[in-house]
Amino acid sequence: MLALLVLAELITFGEAVAVVAFLLSLAALALLLLTVRRLDGKAHRIDLRIKKHEAELTRTTASLKNIENRLDVLARAVEESAGRRADDLGAILASLGEDRVNAMTRAREVEELREEVRGLTEDRV
């Protein structure tokens, strides 16, 4: 169309070149605008994805804190239980030791009584 206007001498060749350059710059601007809009859309989707992951990370962190608190409670309970078991075991062993000592003392007493009974029976005979 510009060629017809130049051939018809309605516009000069320089004006036609200026119009073509202006149209090319408008096309470049339109392409740049579409590229920027596309990149902006991608950036927006990435931002939404990041926010979603941050929310999941926050929930995971809160869950991990709850689990950590529960583990602390369980660890304390296990330690207390182990302490009680150690005390109970110590008491049982002490009791067994006392029983053994008492049994040994009673065995000696019984043996002494047997000796006395034997001595008495020998004296009568």
Side-chain angles (χ1 to χ4, degrees), residues 85-122:
R85 285 191 180 128
D87 292 343
D88 291 345
L89 185 60
I92 289 169
L93 290 176
S95 175
L96 288 174
E98 289 173 4
D99 290 345
R100 180 174 277 174
V101 169
N102 289 336
M104 290 173 65
T105 304
R106 286 190 186 140
R108 283 187 203 133
E109 289 174 359
V110 168
E111 190 61 35
E112 288 173 5
L113 288 173
R114 284 184 185 160
E115 291 294 324
E116 286 179 24
V117 169
R118 284 185 194 142
L120 290 174
T121 56
E122 290 176 4

Side-chain angles (χ1 to χ4, degrees), residues 13-60:
F13 182 73
E15 290 173 340
V17 170
V19 168
V20 167
F22 180 71
L23 289 175
L24 286 176
S25 65
L26 281 179
L29 283 175
L31 180 64
L32 183 64
L33 179 67
L34 290 175
T35 304
V36 168
R37 288 196 63 187
R38 184 173 180 213
L39 287 176
D40 184 52
K42 286 183 178 184
H44 181 67
R45 285 191 299 278
I46 290 170
D47 187 47
L48 289 177
R49 210 174 295 144
I50 288 172
K51 287 179 182 178
K52 177 184 170 187
H53 289 302
E54 285 175 346
E56 289 175 7
L57 182 62
T58 302
R59 284 192 303 270
T60 303

Side-chain angles (χ1 to χ4, degrees), residues 70-88:
R70 288 180 184 172
L71 285 175
D72 288 341
V73 169
L74 289 174
R76 274 187 251 121
V78 167
E79 288 173 4
E80 290 172 4
S81 177
R84 282 194 305 267
R85 285 191 180 128
D87 292 343
D88 291 345

